[in-house]
Amino acid sequence: YWTRGMDMVGATNRLGVDVMTGHWEFTYLDTEVIKNVEAFNGEFVAQNVKVREEALFDYQFEDFGGFQEDAGLAFKPYVIKEVGGSRVAVIGQAFPYTPIANPSRFIPDWTFGIQDQRMQAFVDKIRDEESPDLVVVLSHNGMDVDLKMASRVTGIDAVFGGHTHDGMPAPTIVDNAKGKTLVTNAGSNGKFLGVMDLDVKDGKLRDYRYRLLPVFSNLLEPNAEMAKYIEEQRAPYLDKLTEKLATAEEVLYRRGNFNGTFDQVICDALRKVNDAQISLSPGFRWGTSVLPGQTITMDHVMDQTCITYPETYRREMSGADLKAILEDVCDNLFNPRSL
C-alpha cells in the first residue's frame, strides 16, 4: 500500500517469475499500473483487458510496450515460452470483474470481462500460427469461472488459476467440444506450490503428473537476498507494523465463503466504532491466521484489511435493501447460471 505495489515488483523480480496476469494491481492508479508492469522483469499478459474506443483517440499509454493498438488491447494477450524444448503459449486472463468489484475510477480507460470469444480467437490463432506444443492459460477468474470457461473454449491444455484461493489436490478434467482441459488452483499466501509435469510429443499433451506441494516455511532456510530485501522494504514502516494491539484468545482466520473468526472481529469492531446495528464486511479470503496466545499487531490487522480504497462508513438501509444485497451476494456465489 505504501509503496504503491512497487515492493512486490521487486520481490517478484527476485523470485524470478516469468509470466503473470493481474487482479489487485488494477486498484492502483492506471499510471501506477503501467509503471509497475514496466518495472517487472517477466511478461504481463491479459487478453481480456481492452482500451475503451473513445480513449483510443488520445490514449495516454500509447508508448507502453504492451499496448496493441490495432486490437485495442491494453496489454500483451499472450507470450510464447520455450520450456524443456517445447513451445508453450501462455495466455493471460486478468480478473474479469475488476470494474464491478473495485472502483473503476482508478482505471477509467480499460474494460474487462471474461471474453470467452476473444479467448477462443486467440487460442485458434496461436494453434494456427505459432505451432505451439502446449497452450495454457494463466487465469485470475476464480475456480468456478475457470471450469465454465474450460467447458466453452476449446484448444486449451491447462488452466493455472487463482482468485478464489482453492487449494486443489488434483486438477479437474473438463470436457469440451474438441477435447479436455486441466483446471488447477493452488491456494493462497504461499501455502502451496502447484507443480505440473507435462509429457508432450509431436505438439500434443500425452500425459501429466500434478502435485500440490506444501511449503513448510518454518523448515526452509530463507533466501538471504530475499530476506534482506523484505527487511529493507519493511524498515521505513516497522514502527507502525509492529505496534502491539491485543493477544489472540483463539485462532483468528478468514477463509471460505462464510464467516471466519477474524471476519467476526472486524464486523464487531465496525458495529462498536460506528454504533451500527448490523455490519457487513467483504468476504475476502486472504490474510494469514493468528494463533491462540499470539500477539496481534497492526501488521496482522493490515494483512486482513489493507486495500487501496479503505473507506468504512455507516448508512441507513431498509430491510428490503439489506435483503436484496445479501440475495445478490448469494446469487453470485451459489447460482451456477450466474457464472
Side-chain angles (χ1 to χ4, degrees):
Y1 176 72
W2 287 312
T3 70
R4 308 303 291 173
M6 190 57 76
D7 62 326
M8 293 308 299
V9 176
T12 304
N13 287 342
R14 284 164 175 77
L15 191 61
V17 173
D18 295 305
V19 190
M20 70 169 290
T21 192
H23 176 209
W24 283 99
E25 291 78 10
F26 297 114
T27 65
Y28 296 103
L29 300 176
D30 50 9
T31 52
E32 294 169 328
V33 175
I34 296 296
K35 179 182 177 182
N36 289 348
V37 170
E38 286 181 326
F40 174 48
N41 289 342
E43 303 278 2
F44 187 96
V45 289
Q47 71 87 22
N48 60 326
V49 184
K50 200 166 186 179
V51 181
R52 295 183 184 278
E53 288 191 16
E54 59 271 24
L56 282 171
F57 293 104
D58 189 25
Y59 187 49
Q60 59 177 322
F61 306 118
E62 62 180 0
D63 294 331
F64 170 62
F67 173 50
Q68 311 232 335
E69 184 174 6
D70 292 341
L73 296 178
F75 303 94
K76 288 182 182 179
Y78 69 91
V79 64
I80 304 292
K81 290 287 184 180
E82 294 283 343
V83 183
S86 298
R87 285 174 59 80
V88 181
V90 184
I91 307 174
Q93 178 77 1
F95 180 51
Y97 305 123
T98 291
I100 301 171
N102 309 112
S104 59
R105 65 181 183 273
F106 298 149
I107 34 94
D109 292 343
W110 298 335
T111 65
F112 292 76
I114 299 172
Q115 308 298 345
D116 279 348
Q117 291 181 327
R118 194 185 304 156
M119 176 67 78
Q120 185 67 73
F122 275 119
V123 173
D124 293 344
K125 170 185 169 64
I126 290 167
R127 291 283 184 190
D128 291 341
E129 300 177 8
E130 300 281 7
S131 301
D133 296 295
L134 287 167
V135 175
V136 303
V137 171
L138 191 64
S139 167
H140 211 96
N141 278 337
M143 189 70 183
D144 287 340
V145 180
D146 279 338
L147 293 171
K148 180 66 74 172
M149 184 179 69
S151 73
R152 292 176 174 175
V153 180
T154 62
I156 299 171
D157 293 301
V159 177
F160 300 103
H163 184 65
T164 44
H165 300 178
D166 301 289
M168 305 303 293
T172 301
I173 303 174
V174 180
D175 292 313
N176 52 55
K178 294 184 180 179
K180 301 178 185 297
T181 298
L182 304 170
V183 179
T184 70
N185 206 294
S188 70
N189 294 81
K191 299 185 186 101
F192 302 101
L193 186 66
V195 182
M196 183 176 287
D197 298 309
L198 302 169
D199 180 9
V200 182
K201 188 175 182 179
D202 299 327
K204 291 186 178 181
L205 175 61
R206 301 195 309 175
D207 201 0
Y208 71 92
R209 296 289 184 272
Y210 177 84
R211 60 195 185 278
L212 198 60
L213 188 68
V215 178
F216 297 108
S217 57
N218 291 345
L219 304 179
L220 296 173
E221 183 179 349
N223 176 275
E225 181 189 354
M226 184 68 85
K228 180 182 178 183
Y229 175 76
I230 293 171
E231 184 179 346
E232 290 172 348
Q233 291 298 307
R234 288 170 58 85
Y237 319 106
L238 205 57
D239 288 345
K240 296 179 185 178
L241 294 172
T242 55
E243 180 185 355
K244 297 178 180 179
L245 305 176
T247 301
E249 296 179 351
E250 59 182 303
V251 179
L252 298 180
Y253 64 89
R254 295 180 89 182
R255 60 177 177 265
N257 290 320
F258 301 101
N259 246 25
T261 50
F262 221 127
D263 289 296
Q264 194 62 55
V265 170
I266 293 167
C267 286
D268 288 347
L270 286 169
R271 289 180 60 212
K272 183 171 183 178
V273 172
N274 288 336
D275 190 25
Q277 294 173 301
I278 295 172
S279 64
L280 301 173
S281 178
F284 296 137
R285 303 204 318 182
W286 40 252
T288 46
S289 300
V290 181
L291 299 179
Q294 188 174 352
T295 298
I296 305 169
T297 65
M298 181 60 75
D299 198 358
H300 291 125
V301 173
M302 296 190 74
D303 187 21
Q304 304 286 341
T305 61
C306 186
I307 56 178
T308 58
Y309 50 101
E311 297 91 352
T312 56
Y313 49 86
R314 185 183 73 168
R315 57 170 290 192
E316 289 190 1
M317 296 175 65
S318 67
D321 288 340
L322 188 62
K323 180 173 181 287
I325 289 172
L326 294 176
E327 286 190 342
D328 184 55
V329 171
C330 289
D331 188 55
N332 287 338
L333 280 173
F334 304 115
N335 185 352
R337 292 172 302 186
S338 67
L339 298 176

